[in-house]
Amino acid sequence: MLPLADQVLELLSLERTPFWTYAISALLLAALALLLRPLLQLLGLFHRYYVNCQRLHCFPQPPRRNWLLGHMGMIEPCEEGMVRVSQLVAAFPNTFLTWMGPFLPFLSLVHPDYLKPVTTASVAVAPKDYLFYGFLKPWLGEGLLLSNGQRWGQHRRMLTPAFHFDILKPYVKIFNQSTNIMHAKWQRLVSLGSPSLDMFEQISLMTLDSLQKCVFSHSSNCQEKPSDYIAAILELSNLVVRRQHRLLHHIDWIYYLTAEGRRFHRACDTVHRFTADVVQQRRLALSCMGREAWLQAKQGKTVDFIDVLLLAKDEDGQELSDEDIMAEADTFMFEGHDTTASGLSWVLYNLAHHPEYQQQCREEIQELVKDKPLEELEWEDLSQMPFTTMCIKESLRLHPPVTIISRRCTEDIKLPDGRIIPKAGHILSAGNICLISIFGTHHNPTVWPEPEKLHWAELCTGRAEGGAGADTAALHRAAG
């Protein structure tokens, strides 16, 4: 180091004294240490990456597109992509590995026996992964979908009253009203000679209409006229899906510079303003009336989701903040409308392709409403439709509204065949990401022979007796 110090002294035209010599040497050593530190960290990252790759080597993988892209673009968010998933599941009926680029592995689980160790692991061992869920956070905040650990448990307990039968029963009337509006709209379109319509779009408006009434006690008449709030929710749903499949848009600062990022920001503002106004007005009314007077005023009336959240308290008497309530309300508006609309659309599609089953469903419903003046289903009727329920469940198997969920393994998890999902993460995260493929499991030929066919009878018998379909039915409960 001393010869180099001498050269620096000469370059700086400083006198070669012991003080300057040792001072320059110390500065050079410090600079070297600063350079070595990130280099050692980088070497450590690549060593962990190499070890992780070796441990993942036991899992089969389809051919990569190339070394740089990995399997990116192999499964598109469209019908062809779902066909590709079915082909992969047929080739790898338990689990398989895919790569996003050269460094990011995803382990797909497509058999109930292989899902179970991950879905039943504690939240500390297999928490939610935020690589994709994180895109929703600016919109949904820390609601049930995106929260983890103690916060999730606390909020889940506080929200339990919202799912009590006494709360849910009056909602059936709201569902009937929203459905009647949709039917009347369809009848007008038919009378005007409209040859077709976008079923998913129409049903999405109906589910959003229902949710707005159940969550906020607000009627925007969105099925008949435009609503800025409803339009913002639909736009946010589409933008989130589009962002997932554009790698550069995963980087926040790049995404928010794009036109889509700016649209996302504006739509978030629209949704948040609406929710905040409702929560603040309701909080003010509750404060003015007092808790007891508020509860008395609600007797005999429909209690909406905001009411339940405002009145909720934990074991220590702690209430939810306005931000917490807004996050949960926004979460339910998102999760409730899209999945329900997708499920209903596929049910109608599958029944239309099987007129004989459609007629059986129609006869079952007609028998239930034949003596009712309004010919509308009531709460008690919902448990009296075994064949229709069976058709709905089988349609959900064929076309699950949520095709995949992800978990990040922070500890080694042993699979039934003895292979280990390693806890060691890759360069971009502290833990390997497991993709729990709901669609893949439901289309796994080792679970469902001829999985593309409709298995009405097998579904009913299997779930009752623990046969085909029993494990996949339990998947949704285990995944949370």
Side-chain angles (χ1 to χ4, degrees):
M1 189 63 71
L2 290 178
L4 183 59
D6 291 340
Q7 292 179 19
V8 172
L9 288 172
E10 185 177 342
L11 183 65
L12 297 175
S13 301
L14 294 173
E15 186 179 353
R16 192 176 298 172
T17 63
F19 171 77
W20 283 115
T21 300
Y22 289 119
I24 294 297
S25 298
L27 288 172
L28 289 173
L29 284 171
L32 181 62
L34 288 174
L35 288 173
L36 283 176
R37 180 183 175 87
L39 181 61
L40 291 173
Q41 289 177 335
L42 187 61
L43 288 173
L45 282 174
F46 276 100
H47 177 262
R48 290 197 295 274
Y49 167 73
Y50 173 77
V51 171
N52 193 48
C53 287
Q54 294 301 306
R55 297 190 69 188
L56 290 171
H57 195 67
C58 60
F59 296 102
Q61 57 180 294
R64 303 191 197 194
R65 296 177 64 187
N66 54 55
W67 72 269
L68 179 62
L69 296 177
H71 298 95
M72 284 177 58
M74 183 178 69
I75 302 174
E76 295 291 340
C78 59
E79 185 176 355
E80 290 75 15
M82 294 297 97
V83 171
R84 181 62 175 145
V85 171
S86 296
Q87 293 170 347
L88 288 171
V89 173
F92 310 108
N94 296 324
T95 180
F96 60 88
L97 189 67
T98 54
W99 291 81
M100 178 182 285
F103 300 119
L104 188 55
F106 293 98
L107 188 62
S108 295
L109 306 173
V110 295
H111 191 284
D113 293 341
Y114 287 73
L115 302 177
K116 190 174 181 180
V118 176
T119 57
T120 57
S122 70
V123 70
V125 173
K128 299 172 185 176
D129 173 66
Y130 290 104
L131 182 63
F132 298 120
Y133 288 143
F135 300 153
L136 294 165
K137 195 163 187 178
W139 172 17
L140 304 182
E142 292 281 347
L144 281 181
L145 178 63
L146 300 183
S147 58
N148 251 325
Q150 184 178 356
R151 180 186 177 90
W152 182 91
Q154 179 193 34
H155 282 213
R156 184 65 186 88
R157 290 190 297 273
M158 294 174 75
L159 265 62
T160 297
F163 305 99
H164 192 279
F165 289 160
D166 290 338
I167 299 291
L168 297 177
K169 283 180 183 179
Y171 291 169
V172 176
K173 185 177 180 181
I174 294 174
F175 300 154
N176 282 324
Q177 291 170 351
S178 298
T179 305
N180 289 339
I181 294 171
M182 182 179 69
H183 285 166
K185 188 176 179 181
W186 290 0
Q187 289 169 353
R188 287 199 305 272
L189 290 172
V190 171
S191 66
L192 294 173
S194 178
S196 62
L197 56 85
D198 185 335
M199 183 71 70
F200 179 71
E201 178 184 344
Q202 300 288 328
I203 296 179
S204 291
L205 289 173
M206 184 272 291
T207 56
L208 282 166
D209 189 19
S210 300
L211 277 169
Q212 214 173 3
K213 295 169 183 173
C214 296
V215 173
F216 300 111
S217 293
H218 178 83
S219 179
S220 65
N221 200 23
C222 63
Q223 297 192 72
E224 300 287 356
K225 63 180 184 181
S227 163
D228 290 341
Y229 172 73
I230 298 300
I233 289 180
L234 292 172
E235 182 171 39
L236 286 169
S237 301
N238 291 328
L239 288 173
V240 166
V241 173
R242 289 167 64 89
R243 186 180 180 186
Q244 288 180 355
H245 298 277
R246 298 182 179 182
L247 191 59
L248 284 177
H249 286 185
H250 287 207
I251 304 171
D252 284 345
W253 69 269
I254 292 179
Y255 180 66
Y256 288 112
L257 289 174
T258 67
E260 289 195 358
R262 292 191 293 271
R263 284 167 52 199
F264 182 86
H265 184 72
R266 287 194 299 270
C268 279
D269 285 345
T270 300
V271 169
H272 292 161
R273 279 197 305 272
F274 176 87
T275 309
D277 286 346
V278 173
V279 173
Q280 289 166 9
Q281 290 173 17
R282 203 74 65 84
R283 174 82 75 182
L284 181 62
L286 176 60
S287 300
C288 292
M289 294 179 64
R291 188 181 182 90
E292 294 303 320
W294 175 274
L295 289 171
Q296 284 208 347
K298 286 290 179 179
Q299 286 185 357
K301 298 181 180 179
T302 300
V303 177
D304 65 28
F305 191 56
I306 298 295
D307 292 332
V308 175
L309 296 178
L310 283 168
L311 296 171
K313 291 184 179 182
D314 65 11
E315 299 85 351
D316 300 322
Q318 185 71 31
E319 298 179 346
L320 292 169
S321 67
D322 285 359
E323 290 74 18
D324 292 335
I325 294 174
M326 288 169 57
E328 299 300 351
D330 289 339
T331 296
F332 270 70
M333 287 298 297
F334 164 65
E335 287 193 291
H337 95 268
D338 190 72
T339 53
T340 307
S342 175
L344 288 173
S345 298
W346 280 115
V347 169
L348 295 177
Y349 172 87
N350 286 318
L351 288 176
H353 276 270
H354 296 81
E356 68 279 17
Y357 299 133
Q358 182 173 264
Q359 183 58 31
Q360 281 184 258
C361 289
R362 181 180 288 113
E363 291 172 357
E364 186 174 66
I365 301 302
Q366 287 175 338
E367 181 65 25
L368 286 172
V369 301
K370 67 179 181 180
D371 296 325
K372 300 181 188 295
L374 296 178
E375 293 191 345
E376 291 181 348
L377 290 173
E378 298 173 356
W379 174 267
E380 293 74 16
D381 298 322
L382 300 180
S383 60
Q384 306 300 315
M385 321 183 293
F387 186 79
T388 302
T389 301
M390 180 177 65
C391 291
I392 292 171
K393 289 180 177 179
E394 176 63 355
S395 182
L396 289 172
R397 180 192 71 81
L398 278 171
H399 304 102
V402 178
T403 59
I404 200 165
I405 57 177
S406 61
R407 293 290 183 267
R408 179 169 50 85
C409 299
T410 61
E411 297 291 340
D412 287 355
I413 296 180
K414 188 175 182 180
L415 297 176
D417 59 8
R419 286 181 293 179
I420 302 292
I421 302 174
K423 68 177 179 180
H426 42 77
I427 291 176
L428 300 178
S429 118
N432 284 303
I433 297 174
C434 286
L435 300 180
I436 299 168
S437 179
I438 299 172
F439 181 91
T441 305
H442 288 182
H443 290 254
N444 191 328
T446 64
V447 179
W448 294 94
E450 300 182 286
E452 304 304 323
K453 289 187 177 181
L454 298 174
H455 294 271
W456 307 112
E458 291 91 332
L459 181 73
C460 186
T461 304
R463 287 189 174 162
E465 300 177 5
D471 290 333
T472 47
L475 166 62
H476 301 285
R477 296 192 296 273

